[in-house]
Amino acid sequence: MRQRAGFDSALTVLAPVVWGSTYLVTTQFLPPDRPLLAAAVRALPGGLILTLAGRRLPQGHWWWRILVLGALNIGVFFYLLFVAAYHLPGGVAALVGSIQPVFVLLLSALLLREVVRGRQVGACVLGTAGVGMLVLGPEAGLDAIGVAAGLGGAACMASGIVLTKRWGRPPGVGLLTFTGWQLAVGGLLITPVALAAEGLPDRLTWSNVAGFGYLSLIGALLAYAVWFRGIERLPALTVSLLGFASPLAATVLGFLFLRQGLTPVQGLGAIAVIGAVLLAQRSSAREPLEPDPPPETAGTGTESPTAAGPAHPAPPSPQAGNRSAARSPRPIAESRQTTEREQS
């Protein structure tokens, strides 16, 4: 059980690590001053590809559920994230966003009926403190609009995590199709705002195309598939705390590729973030793990007995019936012999 939780956590943390590379790719490969366009291109193409490949659309009440999840996890979240980035220094925006696990903790108690434990609260505090040490600098400042947008973005992502955990996936729909629906909805929400506010660049270079391709295929399509898989298999708070790896990855990549220095305080922050992630992983190892997804979640199109309804009771074993039939002739034969003796 612990090995499985460790593997699921190690795989899920790859998503925020990839997201931590967004700043590097945006500054080095994308056209300047078009963050909303980058968010739209990041979400919409991958979402359409996965939706077309899955050859399925939501049905019934899943239409409004996908609209809600796509807005919370992708569309509205991206928009508020960039509003916070425009009004706050990057470090302050990251610190405000790090309050997300606290929202997840509260929503999990309300919607998932999960018990709040001291270990989980400690991991939230440790991770937030670590992010603060990683990203805060002397230029830190506060702006009411930026702080409100950062808190709103954190609440959106937290709600998306908890509702994805609560609702699961519709029967017969694979993980990639489910991911594609949300990316497509989020991209469709962002694209009109991006075109109205920023417009299209005058020209695109091959570096721009490569950057957009990385954000769409790796940063969205693959990363969100891994992220939603983790939400299915791990406690919601554990997944949220793994998100602390994103600012850690951004700091490390900035040091390696952008020659940004690392201070001792940032080193302590990195240790604190790693400690919070490990603490969350230990906590998830003690939680009952989610069962393996039934066959329909793998995209096979076949429903399991659990999804279709209660399973039928198992028929009696043929061997048991043979044994009972083998015993029954003996008493009958004995009773016939007794009757013949009485008649004689």
Side-chain angles (χ1 to χ4, degrees), residues 17-27 30 42 214-215 219 253:
V17 167
V18 169
W19 295 334
S21 66
T22 300
Y23 175 78
L24 174 66
V25 174
T26 300
T27 57
L30 300 187
R42 177 182 176 183
Y214 173 84
L215 290 181
L253 290 174

Side-chain angles (χ1 to χ4, degrees), residues 44-289:
L44 188 56
L48 294 178
I49 290 172
L50 291 179
T51 301
L52 291 174
R55 298 180 180 179
R56 291 195 60 172
L57 292 175
Q59 296 180 357
H61 64 273
W62 273 103
W63 274 109
W64 69 263
R65 286 187 176 183
I66 289 299
L67 290 175
V68 170
L69 293 179
L72 292 175
N73 286 323
I74 313 293
V76 178
F77 169 69
F78 279 0
Y79 176 75
L80 293 176
L81 185 68
F82 286 118
V83 170
Y86 272 124
H87 288 82
L88 296 173
V92 178
L95 182 61
V96 173
S98 69
I99 200 69
Q100 174 190 304
V102 177
F103 289 140
V104 171
L105 191 65
L106 297 176
L107 291 173
S108 296
L110 292 175
L111 299 180
L112 304 180
R113 299 292 187 265
E114 293 183 357
V115 179
V116 178
R117 294 180 172 84
R119 185 190 300 272
Q120 298 171 328
V121 176
C124 291
V125 173
L126 183 62
T128 302
V131 171
M133 289 185 285
L134 270 175
V135 300
L136 283 183
E139 75 282 358
L142 296 180
D143 176 271
I145 296 177
V147 171
L151 293 175
C156 276
M157 192 64 170
S159 302
I161 290 175
V162 174
L163 288 178
T164 303
K165 184 76 175 178
R166 179 181 176 88
W167 290 339
R169 273 186 278 147
V173 175
L175 177 62
L176 293 180
T177 302
F178 184 68
T179 303
W181 290 349
Q182 296 189 55
L183 288 174
V185 167
L188 290 173
L189 290 175
I190 300 172
T191 299
V193 180
L195 293 177
E198 299 172 354
L200 296 175
D202 296 331
R203 58 185 294 270
L204 289 177
T205 66
W206 286 110
S207 296
N208 299 152
V209 174
F212 282 130
Y214 173 84
L215 290 181
S216 180
L217 298 178
I218 307 299
L221 191 153
L222 293 180
Y224 271 101
V226 169
W227 184 249
F228 291 138
R229 177 190 180 278
I231 293 176
E232 289 183 348
R233 288 166 168 77
L234 294 169
L237 180 63
T238 301
V239 177
S240 180
L241 288 170
L242 292 176
F244 284 142
S246 184
L248 176 60
T251 302
V252 172
L253 290 174
F255 171 75
L256 293 176
F257 296 100
L258 303 180
R259 298 182 179 179
Q260 297 175 347
L262 286 177
T263 65
V265 174
Q266 287 178 309
L268 290 176
I271 294 174
V273 167
I274 294 173
V277 171
L278 293 177
L279 190 60
Q281 196 277 329
R282 286 190 59 190
S283 178
S284 66
R286 296 171 180 267
E287 297 278 346
L289 293 175

